């Protein structure tokens, strides 16, 4: 038999050697962590040193300058200043000054502003406000009804057609609009002759006729303004009101109208401003038969009634700017408030 060789037993120092290796690794790990901690502390000290140097150099901590994004709007600001700022300044200067034609001296006076608020000038200003308020109120009501019918309709083609037509009609005005109504509803107009409207007392060249013409472009404008607000009414609100037993009237009374109120008031103000500033259509249609401030300004500048009333015309223009400024001061906060519901 071949003698078997006994397996060599591990020496007495094998186990202690493995233990020493593990302890060495732990020691190295601790040293590495200590070096990392020292490195972090060193970086912190360097950062603090830089901050301290920045404070010492500038006396206070340097802040990053915001990006000059407003430079992109500089051309628009220059354009607005030249096209609106200079004419507005010249208008204001002419409204509060008077030049002696003999001596050539100029002095400040409030005579033109006072005259612009008296007599026929005040009547024209009042007439413009009445016409603008009436047409804006009627256009707001009909515009909301048409917009609600478009929003609730399930036909996308109808919505697109109405919005496209509203965009076109809202920007159609001036002399072409006046000619279209003269050919349609004038004394010899097609509709007037076919419907015998003259026998009913219809007169296009009056305050009522001018109201009808203004509604032609104000109602489409209201449709464009109020459709996004109606889209902002979430269906969940209507469903929640219905689940709680509310009727359609109660929903509009307590939910719909309070939410839409800023948009409706803002649309009314916008329509008022559009009607208040309209001139070409009224000038081509009624001339001076209806007292309007825009027509009075044109007459004063051209000298049709009195000569040398240019400064009074500038004062009337300043009155219009003040009224338009008040209108925009009401419109902008309402529009900002109503936009919260559209997001």
């Amino acid at each position: 038999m071949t003698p078997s060789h006994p397996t060599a037993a591990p020496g007495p120092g094998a186990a202690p050697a493995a233990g020493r290796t593990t302890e060495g690794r732990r020691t190295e790990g601790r040293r590495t962590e200590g070096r990392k901690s020292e490195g972090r502390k060193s970086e912190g000290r360097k950062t603090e040193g830089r901050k301290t140097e920045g404070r010492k150099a500038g006396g206070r901590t340097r802040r990053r300058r915001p990006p000059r994004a407003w430079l992109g709007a500089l051309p628009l600001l220059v354009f607005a200043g030249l096209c609106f700022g200079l004419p507005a300044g010249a208008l204001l200067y002419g409204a509060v000054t008077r030049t002696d034609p003999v001596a050539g001296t100029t002095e400040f006076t409030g005579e033109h502003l006072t005259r612009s608020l008296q007599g026929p000038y005040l009547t024209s200003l009042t007439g413009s406000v009445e016409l603008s308020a009436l047409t804006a109120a009627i256009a707001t009501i009909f515009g909301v009804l048409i917009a609600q019918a478009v929003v609730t309709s399930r036909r996308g083609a109808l919505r697109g057609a109405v919005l496209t037509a509203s965009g076109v009609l809202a920007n159609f005005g001036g002399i072409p609009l006046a000619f279209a109504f003269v050919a349609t509803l004038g004394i010899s107009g097609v509709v007037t002759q076919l419907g015998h409207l003259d026998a009913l007392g219809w007169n296009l060249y009056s305050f009522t006729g001018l109201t009808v013409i203004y509604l032609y472009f104000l109602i489409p404008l209201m449709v464009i303004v109020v459709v996004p607000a109606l889209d902002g009414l979430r269906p969940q609100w209507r469903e929640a009101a219905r689940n709680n037993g509310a009727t359609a009237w109660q929903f509009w009374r307590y939910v719909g109208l309070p939410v839409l109120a800023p948009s409706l008031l803002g649309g009314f103000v916008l329509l008022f401003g559009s009607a208040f500033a309209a001139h070409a259509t009224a000038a081509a249609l009624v001339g001076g038969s209806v007292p309007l401030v825009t027509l009075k300004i044109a007459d004063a500048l051209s000298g049709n009634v009195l000569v040398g009333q240019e400064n009074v015309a500038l004062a009337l223009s300043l009155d219009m700017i003040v009224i338009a400024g008040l209108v925009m001061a009401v419109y902008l906060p309402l529009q900002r408030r109503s936009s919260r519901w559209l997001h």
Side-chain angles (χ1 to χ4, degrees), residues 276-331:
F276 188 69
H279 167 259
T281 303
L285 188 68
V286 299
S289 59
V290 178
L292 297 177
V293 63
T294 53
L295 303 181
K296 283 294 182 182
I297 292 174
D299 292 339
L301 289 176
S302 60
N304 289 341
V305 181
L306 295 175
V307 180
Q309 300 299 310
E310 293 82 3
N311 288 16
V312 178
L314 297 179
L316 286 172
S317 302
L318 184 60
D319 295 337
M320 291 188 64
I321 292 176
V322 171
I323 295 176
L326 295 176
V327 167
M328 294 305 298
V330 176
Y331 171 70

Side-chain angles (χ1 to χ4, degrees), residues 178-197:
F179 174 78
F181 269 89
V182 168
T184 305
L185 294 173
I187 298 177
S188 301
V190 177
V191 178
T192 304
Q193 295 298 322
L194 292 178
H196 301 285
L197 299 181

Side-chain angles (χ1 to χ4, degrees), residues 15-285:
R20 284 196 297 270
T21 303
T22 305
E23 292 179 359
R25 292 174 183 167
R26 292 177 180 174
T27 305
E28 290 179 0
R30 292 172 187 158
R31 290 177 181 173
T32 304
E33 292 178 359
R35 290 172 190 159
K36 291 181 180 179
S37 301
E38 290 179 359
R40 293 171 188 159
K41 292 180 180 179
S42 300
E43 291 179 359
R45 290 171 190 157
K46 290 179 181 178
T47 305
E48 291 179 359
R50 291 171 188 163
K51 292 181 179 179
T52 305
E53 290 178 359
R55 294 192 189 101
K56 290 181 180 179
R60 57 183 179 180
T61 305
R62 295 181 179 179
R63 300 179 180 177
R64 294 183 180 179
R65 295 181 179 180
R68 298 180 179 179
W70 60 272
L71 291 177
L74 186 59
L76 177 61
L77 297 177
V78 174
F79 176 80
L82 293 176
C83 296
F84 296 98
L86 291 180
L91 186 149
L92 177 61
Y93 179 78
V96 297
T97 58
R98 176 177 54 191
T99 301
D100 190 350
V102 179
T105 58
T106 302
E107 60 180 358
F108 288 95
T109 179
E111 177 185 358
H112 308 308
L113 293 175
T114 303
R115 293 184 61 184
S116 66
L117 299 176
Q118 295 177 352
Y121 300 115
L122 180 60
T123 303
S124 64
L125 191 62
T126 305
S128 293
V129 172
E130 291 177 355
L131 178 63
S132 302
L134 177 62
T135 54
I138 299 176
T140 299
I141 296 174
F142 283 95
V144 170
L145 295 178
I146 296 174
Q148 176 63 15
V150 170
V151 170
T152 57
S153 176
R154 297 181 180 179
R155 299 180 181 179
L158 176 62
R159 178 189 178 100
V162 172
L163 292 181
T164 302
S166 298
V168 174
L169 298 178
N171 294 280
F172 182 71
I175 297 178
L177 179 61
F179 174 78
F181 269 89
V182 168
T184 305
L185 294 173
I187 298 177
S188 301
V190 177
V191 178
T192 304
Q193 295 298 322
L194 292 178
H196 301 285
L197 299 181
D198 50 351
L200 301 176
W202 166 253
N203 182 15
L204 180 64
Y205 314 103
S206 61
F207 185 90
T208 304
L210 203 58
T211 300
V212 174
I213 294 179
Y214 276 31
L215 292 177
Y216 181 84
F217 60 86
L218 290 181
I219 292 178
L221 181 59
M222 187 61 189
V223 172
I224 297 175
V225 170
V226 80
V227 162
L230 291 175
D231 287 334
L233 289 178
R234 301 177 183 177
Q236 295 84 350
W237 298 345
R238 189 187 298 272
E239 294 175 359
R242 188 180 305 167
N243 293 335
N244 289 323
T247 61
W249 164 250
Q250 290 174 337
F251 167 77
W252 285 106
R253 171 65 179 82
Y254 297 103
V255 180
L257 289 179
V259 172
L260 294 176
S263 297
L264 297 181
L265 293 177
F268 171 81
V269 171
L270 181 62
L271 299 184
F272 177 88
S274 299
F276 188 69
H279 167 259
T281 303
L285 188 68

